[in-house]
Amino acid sequence: MLSLLAASGAVADPIYWSDLGLRPGIDLGFFTLRFYSLAYLLGVIFAYWHLSKMIKQPGAPLAQRHADDLFFYCTLGVILGGRIGYAIFYNPNLWDNPLDILKLWEGGMSFHGGLVGVLIAIAWVTRRGNLSFLRVCDYIAVNVPMGMMLGRLANFNNGELWGRATDVPWAMVFPDPRAGEIARHPSQLYQAGLEGLALLVVLMLLFWKTNARYRPGLLVGIFTLGMGIARFVNEFFREPDTQLAEFAARTGLSMGQWLTIPLILIGLIVTLYALTRKPVGTGSISESKSATA
C-alpha cells in the first residue's frame, strides 16, 4: 500500500527541522539564554505561583512559609536529582569529569532522578514543619506537568531526543548527524502533549473542580500513574539514547520504560489507597485559617 501511495505521489515529504527556523536560545549579546534552561526556570516559577494560589483554598496542608521553603529545596532537588539521575542511568561517562554534571545548558535530565530529588526535598520540608508528607505531595504533583511540558518543548526546540524512524505524514528529519537523514517521530511533542499538557489538565480539573484535594494521596497517585503510563507509551516512539540502544535491544524495553514500571505500580497502589480512605477535613473557613497562619 505504501509503495502504491509513493508511486502516486500521495506520500508527503518529511518535515525538515532545520526549515522551522528554531534557535537554541535568546542571544543577549554577552550571553545566550538557552530555552532548555529557560524552560526549567519558567516551570519552577509557575509551580511557585500556582502553589501559592492553591494553598489559599480551604483545607490546605501547608502555609506560605512552607511554600517558600519548597520553592528553594524542590528546585535544588530537580536540578541535582535530574542531573545525577541522568549520569547514573543514561550517561555514565559524565562521571569521568563530575563538573560536567553541572552543565545544564548542554541538556540531559532524568525525570526519575528529578522525582527522587523532589521527594527528598518534600520530605525535608514536611519533617521540619510537621506537615503531612502525602498531602503536600498532592499539592506539588499538580504543578509538575507544566515543567514537563516546557522541558519537552525545549528538547524539540534544540532538535534533540528525537523519535524512531517512521513514515507518518508528520515525520521529521532532525539535523543532528547521529539522527541521519531519516524521517522520525517528533516524540518530544508527543511527550509534551501527553506527559505535560494532558496530565496538567486532568490534575487541574481534579483540584479546582472536585474534592480530590481532601483525599490524601489521590492527586499524587494519579500523577504518578498517569506519568508512568504516558512515559511508557511514549518510549515506543522515542529513539533510545545511543549509549543505551544495545540495552534496549537486549531487554526489549528502553531504560526509560524499565524505570517507569515501578512508577506505574506505585501510582496504582497510592491511588487505590486514597480512594479507599475517608476524606480528611471539611474545607471549613477555620481550617483554612489554621493552615495559612
Side-chain angles (χ1 to χ4, degrees), residues 47-48 51-52 55 62-74 125 131 140:
Y48 178 73
L51 178 63
S52 297
I55 62 178
L62 69 158
Q64 185 62 51
R65 66 179 183 277
H66 303 126
D68 295 341
D69 288 342
L70 286 167
F71 173 73
F72 173 76
Y73 288 111
C74 284
V125 173
L131 306 173
I140 295 295

Side-chain angles (χ1 to χ4, degrees), residues 48-108:
Y48 178 73
W49 168 78
H50 189 249
L51 178 63
S52 297
K53 289 190 63 175
M54 293 169 69
I55 62 178
K56 290 181 173 64
Q57 302 305 307
L62 69 158
Q64 185 62 51
R65 66 179 183 277
H66 303 126
D68 295 341
D69 288 342
L70 286 167
F71 173 73
F72 173 76
Y73 288 111
C74 284
T75 300
L76 197 62
V78 166
I79 295 174
L80 294 180
R83 285 296 284 176
I84 292 174
Y86 178 73
I88 291 174
F89 298 118
Y90 296 97
N91 193 1
N93 292 331
L94 288 176
W95 296 108
D96 296 339
N97 186 3
L99 290 179
D100 288 344
I101 296 176
L102 301 178
K103 296 179 180 179
L104 303 180
W105 55 90
E106 294 185 355

Side-chain angles (χ1 to χ4, degrees), residues 26 71 166 269:
I26 302 173
F71 173 73
T166 183
I269 292 171

Side-chain angles (χ1 to χ4, degrees), residues 162-243:
W162 51 80
R164 301 173 190 263
T166 183
D167 58 359
V168 296
W170 55 89
M172 188 168 293
V173 176
F174 292 92
D176 194 305
R178 294 171 298 177
E181 288 291 319
I182 300 174
R184 298 176 177 276
H185 284 287
S187 57
Q188 314 96 321
L189 299 182
Y190 302 171
Q191 291 185 275
L194 200 55
E195 300 171 19
L197 181 61
L199 196 53
L200 179 67
V201 170
V202 169
L203 291 173
M204 285 283 193
L205 289 175
L206 285 173
F207 181 86
W208 290 104
K209 299 298 183 180
T210 75
N211 290 323
R213 77 184 81 153
Y214 298 115
R215 289 187 175 274
L218 182 57
L219 291 171
V220 71
I222 291 175
F223 162 78
T224 306
L225 179 61
M227 181 64 71
I229 294 174
R231 180 64 183 273
F232 191 89
V233 171
N234 280 326
E235 284 288 321
F236 285 114
F237 302 97
R238 176 178 167 179
E239 184 76 15
D241 293 57
T242 304
Q243 66 274 19

